[in-house]
């Protein structure tokens, strides 16, 4: 699948900002080093508001028991897109860039409003 260059550049800038952020960069590096399963939670805060993405992980100790634990946010990016339908195309690009940049063993999982995303 060929990635849209404009979307790639947008998320490259998002990653540059995360890596430059004093808190987000440390949290992301630690999660990558621990080989935690990254989650991209595409969500909005109220009906009609733009969608954001939370990059995070679930508590690994609980996840190992197959119980979904507390979501731990590593970074929050506001105003990604205005509509829910943009979830899959945008988060697929973001997941690919994270996977490539950090040499992840597991592709980041995509969630929509806190639940695993399933394409229709």
């Amino acid at each position: 699948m060929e990635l849209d260059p404009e979307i790639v550049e947008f998320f490259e800038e998002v990653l540059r900002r995360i890596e430059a952020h004093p808190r987000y960069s440390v949290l992301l590096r630690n999660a990558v080093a621990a080989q935690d399963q990254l989650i991209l939670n595409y969500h909005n805060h109220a009906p009609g508001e733009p969608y954001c993405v939370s990059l995070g992980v679930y508590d690994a100790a609980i996840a190992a028991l197959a119980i979904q634990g507390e979501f731990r946010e590593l970074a929050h990016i506001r105003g990604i897109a205005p509509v829910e339908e943009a979830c899959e195309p945008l988060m697929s690009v973001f997941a690919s860039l994270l996977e490539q940049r950090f040499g992840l063993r597991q592709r980041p999982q995509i969630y929509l409003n806190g639940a695993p995303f399933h394409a229709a």
Side-chain angles (χ1 to χ4, degrees):
M1 172 180 92
E2 189 170 325
L3 303 178
D4 181 320
E6 287 184 27
I7 296 173
V8 169
E9 181 50 40
F10 174 79
F11 282 110
E12 287 286 356
E13 178 60 24
V14 167
L15 286 172
R16 282 190 287 275
R17 290 181 184 199
I18 288 171
E19 290 174 328
H21 192 279
R23 182 170 165 263
Y24 292 173
S25 61
V26 170
L27 293 173
L28 179 56
R29 278 195 306 266
N30 289 344
V32 168
Q35 298 179 29
D36 289 337
Q37 171 66 62
L38 297 180
I39 305 293
L40 298 174
N41 182 31
Y42 185 83
H43 66 281
N44 64 355
H45 296 273
E49 288 190 0
Y51 281 79
C52 305
V53 63
S54 290
L55 170 58
V57 297
Y58 281 101
D59 180 1
I62 295 173
L65 300 173
I67 300 170
Q68 186 166 308
E70 189 73 25
F71 183 75
R72 204 165 20 101
E73 187 174 73
L74 308 175
H76 188 267
I77 303 98
R78 296 182 189 275
I80 295 294
V83 295
E84 182 177 305
E85 294 76 21
C87 176
E88 183 177 26
L90 293 179
M91 294 304 97
S92 292
V93 171
F94 196 21
S96 291
L97 293 175
L98 284 162
E99 193 174 22
Q100 293 167 15
R101 177 156 306 180
F102 296 104
L104 302 176
R105 292 184 183 174
Q106 305 174 77
R107 183 174 176 80
Q109 293 178 348
I110 299 171
Y111 278 51
L112 175 60
N113 290 316
F117 175 81
H118 300 289

